[in-house]
Amino acid sequence: MNALTLQVVSPVPTDIDIANSVEPRHISVIAKKMNLNSNHYDLYGKYKAKVLLPVIDELKGVKDGYYVVVGGITPTPLGEGKSTTTVGLCQALGAYLDKKVVTTLRQPSQGPTFGIKGGAAGGGYSQVIPMDEFNLHMTGDIHAITAANNLLAAAIDTRMFHESTQSDNALFSRLCAPNKQGNRRFNDVMYRRLKKLGITKVKPEDLNLEEVKRFARLDIDPDSITWRRVMDVNDRFLRKITVGQGLDERGMVRETGFDISVASEIMAVLALTTSLDDMRHRLGKMVIGNSRAGEPVTADDLGVGGALSVLMKDAINPTLMQTLEGTPVFVHAGPFANIAHGSSSIVADKIALKLVGPGGFVVTEAGFGCDIGIEKFMNIKCRYSGLRPQCAIIVATIRALKMHGGGPPVTAGKPLDPVYVTENVNLVEAGCANLARHIRNTKAYGVNVVVAINQFSTDTDAEIGAVRLAALTAGAYDAVLCTHHAHGGKGAIDLGIAVQKACETATGPFNFLYPLDASIEDKIEAIANSYGASGVEYSKQAEKQIKMYSKQGFSELPICMAKTQYSFTDNPAVKGAPSGFVLPIRDVRASIGAGFIYPLVGTMSTMPGLPTRPCFYDIDLDTATGKVKGLS
């Protein structure tokens, strides 16, 4: 099948105009190119399909292709083009270099799409299409996560309400209500709680009074509840709310709040799961808080783990889409890159690696700069997947390097300072300290590093030469100029050739940054040292939480640092490659179902707000054609 031919024009039109100018192929054509037949997927309209998990089992004898992860330097608020580079590279590999390739990307949240960030389908002539479907409802995965998350939230408050008004025996009788034949019984999810409690009895009537109390009364401490409601909208006024103010709730008022849906632990579970059985296990063991005795309370304790799995049973299947040049894309999961690990799903990568086979390429993206995205990709995602990348790409721009070299602040929605559009080699060279640290940190995992210099029209040859020299000096395998935004895959051919060579020559052992059996503090400090910190300072609350999680048996989980993406430090205003600073840990929390501990560095918002002029001002519908306008 020939690639779609792009009619490139200059200046580059808007993203939505480019996307609408290309008629996508029917998704069955893309699937056939990947040797998928109609039994392997379910259609969602003409241009999307859910690829079914059993494909992994059918292909288990096939060797994997090359695995490539795309990260970046510490970005400006405008972003440096990781998604665009990821898509452009795959278009180059598939449409120009005749390689089997699959792109694996996160699904974007509608909150930032209508807020300040805009869409996340790539940009210019390197996009996933249809970009409006990609950026909006797609196949409903985020809606499924929202429904599951909020079902669990309702279960928590409901359980506390009923426990406050009933005796142990009354609770037990209602939980183990007789079936139609009049027999009382435990159902499947209850056996999970019984096993946790060490109770081996299988009939409700066999439990003694103490066992009845232990089984029926969770005794949740309201102050310990970490589970919040979610919605896929940027709504700052829901960050803190009170619930239980209705007359029927009998005074059970408590403070809570909303997060954006992609910050839900259920999203992180979806991204890190490896099978339906694994997802059911992870959802059930999600911890929502503690009992008053200090014991963790899980979704299965609340009896809701199975129902959550039912709501998520379709969401576990990756969505197949395509690029502007007809190369295949898996879009699956979209965990928050600050709070969670910020990578697309393990199951999408595993299916894709089998589909491309030996000599083929799977290119995925890690959220934000390498200090967050690549570090979490390696130490969390690769631990759970068992997959090992051969090559890591670090996307850099002259604009961001000038900022790190001492340039004035870059602010979304405001014009760039003239320094960013005129030649200043000294500023670029100074900023390359940030790039060099990211290269050294990434190379330490045992992968080859290729720097992709994402070119803007105002970049000069001297500035580009300075970046290339700094990258090679810092140990990069190669540093390549890219123009995929303006030219599509053709503009990333050199990057594709460099990535192929880097993968073919990757021979070193893969290394993690820390062992899992290290203490929580030692793992946190290993990550902080990679940022350039000389030490870590823990608040009393953080120390309390570390002690509690260690006591509860969670200390061997990997660490997912919740930190600003705009600096190696906790302060987003500190640019470049600072060293010798002390990293403050203000709190430590846990996503037990997803499988990580997350320390909070500074103040992290899990519910973004809308700016004065959100992106939704530009988004409208052409009622004559039914096409979306203004989405970017």
Side-chain angles (χ1 to χ4, degrees):
M1 183 180 72
N2 295 326
L4 293 171
T5 302
L6 286 178
Q7 301 299 321
V8 173
V9 298
S10 183
V12 179
T14 65
D15 290 349
I16 189 67
D17 286 343
I18 292 172
N20 286 338
S21 72
V22 175
E23 180 64 29
R25 290 191 166 109
H26 194 283
I27 201 64
S28 62
V29 177
I30 304 297
K32 185 177 181 180
K33 179 183 178 182
M34 303 168 70
N35 295 320
L36 294 170
N37 62 49
S38 59
N39 294 322
H40 292 142
Y41 58 85
D42 290 334
L43 291 171
Y44 279 68
K46 294 189 292 184
Y47 306 126
K48 303 186 298 294
K50 280 280 196 177
V51 177
L52 306 177
L53 247 58
V55 171
I56 294 178
D57 296 327
E58 289 190 28
L59 297 172
K60 62 184 178 181
V62 178
K63 290 185 178 180
D64 290 348
Y66 292 122
Y67 195 30
V68 179
V69 59
V70 179
I73 62 172
T74 306
T76 69
L78 304 179
E80 311 319 309
K82 287 198 316 300
S83 299
T84 307
T85 301
T86 303
V87 175
L89 168 62
C90 291
Q91 290 180 174
L93 288 167
Y96 290 89
L97 298 174
D98 198 28
K99 301 295 181 183
K100 288 186 177 180
V101 63
V102 175
T103 314
T104 59
L105 293 175
R106 287 182 293 166
Q107 179 182 353
S109 166
Q110 289 180 180
T113 296
F114 288 109
I116 195 170
K117 183 178 183 292
Y125 287 101
S126 295
Q127 293 188 56
V128 180
I129 55 173
M131 73 94 81
D132 55 339
E133 295 181 25
F134 177 94
N135 284 304
L136 300 176
H137 305 286
M138 213 168 70
T139 49
D141 292 356
I142 293 180
H143 302 320
I145 288 163
T146 303
N149 185 101
N150 293 341
L151 175 61
L152 180 51
I156 295 166
D157 287 305
T158 297
R159 185 58 172 264
M160 290 194 299
F161 170 77
H162 288 302
E163 286 193 19
S164 72
T165 60
Q166 298 179 49
S167 67
D168 297 339
N169 283 333
L171 272 171
F172 187 74
S173 295
R174 287 179 171 86
L175 289 170
C176 303
N179 59 20
K180 292 180 180 179
Q181 289 73 40
N183 300 316
R184 296 171 70 193
R185 63 183 180 85
F186 295 122
N187 60 15
D188 290 345
V189 73
M190 290 179 175
Y191 283 114
R192 294 173 184 256
R193 175 156 177 78
L194 289 167
K195 182 179 180 180
K196 175 182 174 179
L197 296 173
I199 299 173
T200 59
K201 298 170 183 176
V202 296
K203 295 181 180 180
E205 58 268 25
D206 291 341
L207 270 63
N208 60 38
L209 291 178
E210 181 189 355
E211 290 168 337
V212 164
K213 180 175 182 177
R214 290 175 62 212
F215 174 82
R217 192 164 296 280
L218 302 181
D219 197 26
I220 299 169
D221 179 358
D223 293 334
S224 75
I225 296 172
T226 55
W227 199 264
R228 290 154 59 93
R229 289 160 173 84
V230 300
M231 64 189 309
D232 198 29
V233 175
N234 288 5
D235 192 343
R236 67 177 72 242
F237 288 94
L238 292 178
R239 289 171 179 166
K240 191 172 185 178
I241 64 168
T242 57
V243 295
Q245 297 193 70
L247 294 177
D248 293 337
E249 278 62 68
R250 304 180 189 179
M252 293 194 63
V253 177
R254 71 177 184 91
E255 286 190 351
T256 180
F258 275 77
D259 297 329
I260 196 162
S261 294
V262 292
S264 170
E265 183 178 350
I266 296 176
M267 176 63 89
V269 166
L270 178 65
L272 290 172
T273 195
T274 54
S275 66
L276 270 174
D277 182 67
D278 180 61
M279 183 176 74
R280 171 63 185 88
H281 177 70
R282 287 175 180 270
L283 291 172
K285 71 175 185 177
M286 293 187 303
V287 173
I288 58 87
N290 298 321
S291 69
R292 295 181 194 275
E295 296 297 320
V297 178
T298 68
D300 273 344
D301 289 331
L302 288 156
V304 74
L308 302 181
S309 303
V310 169
L311 287 171
M312 294 294 295
K313 71 179 180 66
D314 295 324
I316 197 173
N317 299 312
T319 299
L320 176 63
M321 297 185 73
Q322 63 191 286
T323 68
L324 284 168
E325 297 187 75
T327 60
V329 181
F330 278 156
V331 187
H332 200 212
F336 215 73
N338 294 99
I339 300 298
H341 64 292
S343 295
S344 59
S345 77
I346 287 173
V347 294
D349 290 357
K350 285 197 165 189
I351 294 172
L353 285 163
K354 297 298 184 187
L355 289 171
V356 299
F361 294 83
V362 171
V363 183
T364 192
E365 180 188 347
F368 294 138
C370 295
D371 55 321
I372 293 180
I374 292 287
E375 186 272 309
K376 294 177 181 181
F377 175 89
M378 300 294 190
N379 289 303
I380 300 175
K381 184 175 180 180
C382 287
R383 284 189 197 271
Y384 285 121
S385 70
L387 301 174
R388 305 290 183 258
Q390 288 77 40
C391 175
I393 296 169
I394 299 179
V395 178
T397 62
I398 301 296
R399 176 182 66 195
L401 292 169
K402 285 181 176 178
M403 179 191 71
H404 288 296
V410 175
T411 305
K414 293 185 179 180
L416 283 172
D417 187 277
V419 73
Y420 292 108
V421 293
T422 55
E423 183 174 276
N424 190 322
V425 176
N426 290 337
L427 211 56
V428 172
E429 289 175 339
C432 281
N434 183 272
L435 171 62
R437 178 172 293 170
H438 285 302
I439 292 171
R440 287 192 293 268
N441 285 353
T442 305
K443 273 177 61 68
Y445 295 105
V447 300
N448 282 335
V449 174
V450 174
V451 174
I453 306 169
N454 191 10
Q455 186 177 24
F456 295 167
S457 60
T458 54
D459 299 341
T460 68
D461 290 343
E463 290 172 331
I464 293 165
V467 178
R468 177 171 166 77
L469 177 61
L472 295 176
T473 301
Y477 181 87
D478 204 348
V480 182
L481 185 65
C482 305
T483 61
H484 44 273
H485 183 274
H487 303 116
K490 187 176 181 180
I493 291 174
D494 289 343
L495 178 61
I497 293 170
V499 166
Q500 180 180 349
K501 291 179 180 177
C503 288
E504 291 172 345
T505 58
T507 57
F510 186 83
N511 307 304
F512 291 116
L513 184 58
Y514 51 79
L516 287 181
D517 59 3
S519 68
I520 292 174
E521 294 95 333
D522 285 348
K523 286 181 280 197
I524 291 172
E525 286 157 24
I527 297 171
N529 291 339
S530 76
Y531 299 158
S534 59
V536 176
E537 183 178 79
Y538 299 95
S539 70
K540 289 184 178 179
Q541 172 65 13
E543 290 176 340
K544 174 187 171 184
Q545 293 297 103
I546 289 171
K547 185 176 180 180
M548 181 188 71
Y549 291 136
S550 298
K551 181 181 178 182
Q552 291 176 339
F554 302 139
S555 62
E556 292 197 357
L557 292 175
I559 299 297
C560 187
M561 205 77 92
K563 182 183 77 71
T564 177
Q565 68 269 37
Y566 295 125
S567 174
F568 279 112
T569 74
D570 64 304
N571 183 353
V574 178
K575 305 302 181 185
S579 61
F581 58 91
V582 175
L583 195 72
I585 306 296
R586 71 174 180 87
D587 200 356
V588 177
R589 298 176 187 170
S591 292
I592 302 303
F596 52 74
I597 303 288
Y598 63 98
L600 300 180
V601 182
T603 302
M604 300 303 306
S605 175
T606 50
M607 172 56 84
L610 291 171
T612 304
R613 190 190 183 283
C615 291
F616 62 61
Y617 272 86
D618 300 314
I619 299 171
D620 213 325
L621 188 68
D622 185 329
T623 56
T625 64
K627 289 186 178 293
V628 174
K629 301 186 298 182
L631 191 61
S632 62

